[in-house]
Amino acid sequence: MICIEEIEAQRQIIQREIYLLKTQEQRNILGQFSTPTILANDILRNALKLMPTGEKIRFLDPAIGTGAFFSALNNNVCSSTCIESATGYEIDEHYGKPALALWSKSILDYQLNDFTKVPSPLNESEKFNLIICNPPYVRHHHINGQKERLHVEAIAAAHMKLSGLAGLYCYFMALSHRWMRSNGIAVWLIPSEFMDVNYGRAVKEYLLNEVSLLQIHRFDPKDAQFDDALVSSAVVWFQNKKPDLNHQVKFTYGGSIESPAHEKMFSAGTLENENKWSRFPVSNEREVLITPRLSDFFSVKRGIATGDNKYFILTKSDIESKGLPISQFKPILPSPRHLSGIEVESDDLGYPEIDPQLFVLDCKLAISEVKQLYPELYAYLQIGIRTGVANRYLCKSRKLWYAQENRAESHFYCTYMGRSNKNGKKSFRFILNHSQAIVANSLSKAGSGGGYRQRFRNGSNIL
Ligand SMILES: C[S@@+](CC[C@H](N)C(=O)[O-])C[C@H]1O[C@@H](n2cnc3c(N)ncnc32)[C@H](O)[C@@H]1O
């Protein structure tokens, strides 16, 4: 028989000691951020309410650390009669070794292993009916070498098609799907940004289509009971069964999980139609407008991100003096600071009538072709390789490091990062462009949209 109060006290000491041994940077790389005891207990109690009564618990924490959730489980149920089995995975032996010793007399099967590489159980009887996880908050650029493998596995496990910008926590949720018993409960403490950002769409589709999403709770940032990393978190509870036709989801906000300041049910249909879930439950579902919106006439895009403007953007005389082929360049406007007025005229070649005229390297030829056709450009690319430009994050992520993303020129540009004027108001300047110049990402461009015509032709979105 273990005494959970004593173990929890020791666990907190171990947790503090490990924190002191590691730098913030080291913790960020493995997404190490422990769940405060009070919160772990709140999350767990809510999960227990959702479990069918009398069912023995098979507990899994795929990123267990020192075991905050397993401790909370023992604190809230009688371990000898209610827990059938408990398993936790941890990649880092700094946590693993002391945690293994701490829980050695308990039922917990503590595995020092990379959860994303462990094969999931094949039989239903080996799966888990209670998965609770505060997964590693590791940003996408720290998982670069693993993305392809994780991407394929997330689709296979949960039909979750994650974009390259998704953090490791999304893959943890997807991969855990195969570890869940049918009708089992899962709880995830994750960054709430998934509710609004583009890469979160695949997570939301999973929550709406593959499982029955039960509740999402968010903390009020003004509520100081948890530190910074937590106020931007959301707790997500769901059950491993396909949703009913009229499925409703509880959204709670502020206060505590047990007694939230705001609470409201929303239908899965409402969630399906809303891109930004963070508006719930404080705001209601959006009214569907029948009046046209700006996006019905324009699509708005930021300008291109070159990865290194100094290297890629050259003046006409630079290009000429280096003997580079102008055909491999596109005219580009200078940054808003160097662009006065609100209209850009064009010369006969379509270049902007601005002094100096600027051009961005945008070559779509393979390096072997460049070598053969344009030796001077080939030599310039070699300089880019030697000086590390080719190795920069953005350049590296392109198919050809020296080819820019495809952006046609537009008649309308907006200086959306303009400086404040004397009255402290942001100066958004719209520029009418007659030339063929594109822009870098300090400006955004507007093209013609088709949404309005589409919506009204279909008539489907009017009501
Ligand atoms: C956000 S912490 C949560 C720790 C603990 N569950 C808690 O709530 O306090 C995430 C944990 O996952 C571990 N981790 C990171 N990558 C992992 C992986 N691939 N497999 C298993 N554990 C991993 C980290 O070392 C860290 O201990």
Side-chain angles (χ1 to χ4, degrees):
M1 189 76 169
I2 58 167
C3 170
I4 193 59
E5 287 82 9
E6 272 177 28
I7 293 201
E8 175 57 22
Q10 282 176 39
R11 191 191 69 78
Q12 289 183 24
I13 293 170
I14 292 171
Q15 186 70 56
R16 273 196 297 274
E17 283 173 356
I18 299 170
Y19 257 44
L20 292 177
L21 289 175
K22 292 202 159 207
T23 62
Q24 181 74 38
E25 174 61 15
Q26 285 169 325
R27 297 216 319 264
N28 285 348
I29 289 174
L30 282 176
Q32 294 172 328
F33 170 73
S34 89
T35 314
T37 303
I38 296 176
L39 180 60
N41 277 277
D42 283 357
I43 289 175
L44 187 112
R45 269 195 297 276
N46 206 42
L48 292 177
K49 283 189 210 154
L50 303 168
M51 298 258 319
T53 39
E55 201 170 288
K56 280 216 168 193
I57 295 169
R58 288 183 56 80
F59 169 92
L60 171 70
D61 183 341
I64 193 163
T66 54
F69 289 122
F70 182 62
S71 179
L73 178 67
N74 282 276
N75 193 31
N76 285 279
V77 301
C78 168
S79 57
S80 55
T81 53
C82 300
I83 308 176
E84 182 184 306
S85 82
T87 303
Y89 286 91
E90 172 56 52
I91 201 170
D92 184 357
E93 61 178 34
H94 278 104
Y95 281 76
K97 285 195 172 156
L100 253 170
L102 178 73
W103 296 109
S104 60
K105 294 200 172 65
S106 76
I107 191 176
L108 178 65
D109 176 17
Y110 194 107
Q111 297 278 337
L112 247 177
N113 215 334
D114 179 341
F115 174 71
T116 68
K117 293 188 176 155
V118 183
S120 55
L122 295 174
N123 299 325
E124 183 73 4
S125 62
E126 295 165 53
K127 296 187 179 183
F128 299 87
N129 59 3
L130 181 60
I131 296 185
I132 307 203
C133 191
N134 173 359
Y137 294 10
V138 179
R139 298 223 164 253
H140 71 97
H141 39 264
H142 283 310
I143 52 170
N144 261 341
Q146 310 187 56
K147 266 186 206 164
E148 272 174 30
R149 171 181 66 88
L150 291 171
H151 181 80
V152 172
E153 288 183 9
I155 295 174
H159 302 142
M160 209 191 275
K161 199 171 172 196
L162 289 161
S163 88
L165 297 178
L168 185 57
Y169 74 90
C170 304
Y171 296 98
F172 258 71
M173 187 188 277
L175 266 47
S176 298
H177 188 75
R178 280 192 170 154
W179 295 70
M180 282 185 92
R181 272 194 177 173
S182 67
N183 292 316
I185 299 293
V187 194
W188 291 86
L189 174 59
I190 53 179
S192 59
E193 66 183 23
F194 88 91
M195 299 170 84
D196 294 350
V197 296
N198 280 345
Y199 79 71
R201 193 184 293 265
V203 177
K204 289 188 282 188
E205 279 170 7
Y206 165 76
L207 293 173
L208 288 178
N209 301 316
E210 303 298 326
V211 292
S212 295
L213 176 59
L214 302 172
Q215 183 179 351
I216 299 186
H217 180 85
R218 276 186 310 124
F219 304 100
D220 180 348
K222 288 189 233 102
D223 196 342
Q225 59 175 319
F226 306 120
D227 64 24
D228 280 357
L230 262 175
V231 289
S232 55
S233 298
V235 191
V236 181
W237 291 262
F238 59 83
Q239 184 167 26
N240 186 17
K241 68 170 189 141
K242 293 273 182 191
D244 300 332
L245 209 58
N246 298 315
H247 185 65
Q248 300 269 325
V249 182
K250 192 201 262 188
F251 275 70
T252 52
Y253 177 79
S256 63
I257 292 170
E258 205 156 17
S259 164
H262 299 267
E263 172 172 345
K264 200 167 174 209
M265 303 297 287
F266 292 91
S267 74
T270 299
L271 300 177
E272 199 89 60
N273 290 329
E274 174 57 57
N275 279 334
K276 301 213 183 295
W277 285 10
S278 67
R279 64 183 280 114
F280 304 133
V282 177
S283 303
N284 279 322
E285 64 199 82
R286 242 177 258 273
E287 267 180 58
V288 179
L289 298 174
I290 56 164
T291 45
R293 281 170 283 173
L294 200 58
S295 59
D296 293 322
F297 302 99
F298 297 100
S299 69
V300 181
K301 295 200 168 96
R302 62 157 176 73
I304 60 163
T306 65
D308 188 336
N309 287 351
K310 272 205 188 106
Y311 176 82
F312 287 108
I313 300 180
L314 302 177
T315 62
K316 199 165 180 206
S317 53
D318 273 341
I319 293 172
E320 283 165 2
S321 67
K322 291 183 197 323
L324 300 173
I326 193 82
S327 61
Q328 301 305 312
F329 286 80
K330 270 187 183 163
I332 189 164
L333 295 186
S335 79
R337 266 182 305 142
H338 302 294
L339 192 64
S340 56
I342 53 166
E343 199 160 353
V344 174
E345 298 296 346
S346 171
D347 66 15
D348 294 342
L349 295 169
Y351 300 159
E353 282 191 345
I354 288 176
D355 192 26
Q357 283 176 332
L358 299 176
F359 294 83
V360 59
L361 175 61
D362 182 20
C363 174
K364 307 282 198 255
L365 300 173
I367 194 77
S368 53
E369 292 174 279
V370 177
K371 191 173 182 183
Q372 201 184 359
L373 296 172
Y374 305 116
E376 286 85 358
L377 179 56
Y378 181 75
Y380 189 63
L381 294 180
Q382 297 310 305
I383 296 175
I385 294 172
R386 272 203 308 282
T387 53
V389 178
N391 224 12
R392 289 189 155 208
Y393 177 68
L394 260 182
C395 304
K396 231 175 26 183
S397 59
R398 299 197 281 247
K399 235 180 183 167
L400 293 173
W401 66 267
Y402 45 84
Q404 310 299 336
E405 54 199 314
N406 289 323
R407 279 275 190 291
E409 73 272 14
S410 170
H411 277 318
F412 309 105
Y413 291 127
C414 173
T415 61
Y416 70 107
M417 294 203 285
R419 294 185 179 179
S420 308
N421 63 18
K422 278 185 217 134
N423 307 325
K425 291 196 175 145
K426 285 255 187 261
S427 54
F428 280 88
R429 190 157 37 109
F430 283 90
I431 292 159
L432 179 60
N433 171 45
H434 300 284
S435 76
Q436 286 171 12
I438 59 169
V439 288
N441 55 0
S442 50
L443 288 105
S444 66
K445 68 165 228 161
S448 59
Y452 178 69
R453 265 168 280 133
Q454 193 61 35
R455 256 181 339 125
F456 281 78
R457 202 180 303 131
N458 294 341
S460 56
N461 285 346
I462 293 179
L463 286 179

